[in-house]
Amino acid sequence: MPGLRSSRGMESLSKALTDIVLISRLVLEGEALEFTHVDRASLDDLVERCPRESPCYVSAKGASGTLHLLVYRGYVVAASFRRGLGWATGSDALREAETLEDVDVTVVEVPRSLLPQE
């Protein structure tokens, strides 16, 4: 599994990733890199879809829920997982969504100015 970049702000950034307005801005204002449907996706597969040199937002939406990731330089820096009305964040989100099946994947390169500042 790709490293979860450890920092004091990782959990707060993961909680910010539950904000639908932030997610919408990331998708609408970022540069779309990929929209695809895959039968099975692991966390490694999703992280590998991101460019290494810039922040990247990844969404994997399937029947079991939706995983939202912020990835930078091959590391997951924030994660949230939505199942129904409930959310899991940080490492809890990664555990809940270790492997996803039958998902629509969105990959967007994100300008740093859109990311929440601490």
Side-chain angles (χ1 to χ4, degrees):
M1 174 165 38
L4 183 63
R5 183 161 278 182
S6 60
S7 72
R8 283 192 235 158
M10 192 280 293
E11 193 61 39
S12 63
L13 187 56
S14 291
K15 285 185 170 113
L17 204 52
T18 65
D19 183 348
I20 300 301
V21 173
L22 173 62
I23 292 169
S24 298
R25 286 188 67 205
L26 295 175
V27 172
L28 294 174
E29 297 180 35
E31 180 183 341
L33 300 175
E34 181 178 358
F35 297 101
T36 190
H37 182 85
V38 295
D39 292 331
R40 187 175 179 89
S42 70
L43 188 58
D44 287 326
D45 297 333
L46 296 173
V47 170
E48 287 176 13
R49 294 173 184 271
C50 289
R52 293 193 60 82
E53 63 280 351
S54 60
C56 176
Y57 164 77
V58 180
S59 169
K61 182 178 183 178
S64 64
T66 303
L67 177 65
H68 303 276
L69 301 173
L70 281 177
V71 177
Y72 184 55
R73 295 188 176 172
Y75 289 94
V76 174
V77 294
S80 67
F81 184 75
R82 181 177 180 192
R83 182 181 312 230
L85 296 176
W87 289 89
T89 58
S91 54
D92 292 337
L94 298 179
R95 277 191 292 277
E96 287 218 21
E98 204 167 290
T99 300
L100 299 167
E101 296 188 12
D102 198 28
V103 292
D104 294 318
V105 177
T106 301
V107 180
V108 177
E109 190 171 342
V110 177
R112 291 175 201 255
S113 60
L114 290 179
L115 299 177
Q117 304 299 315
E118 291 203 42

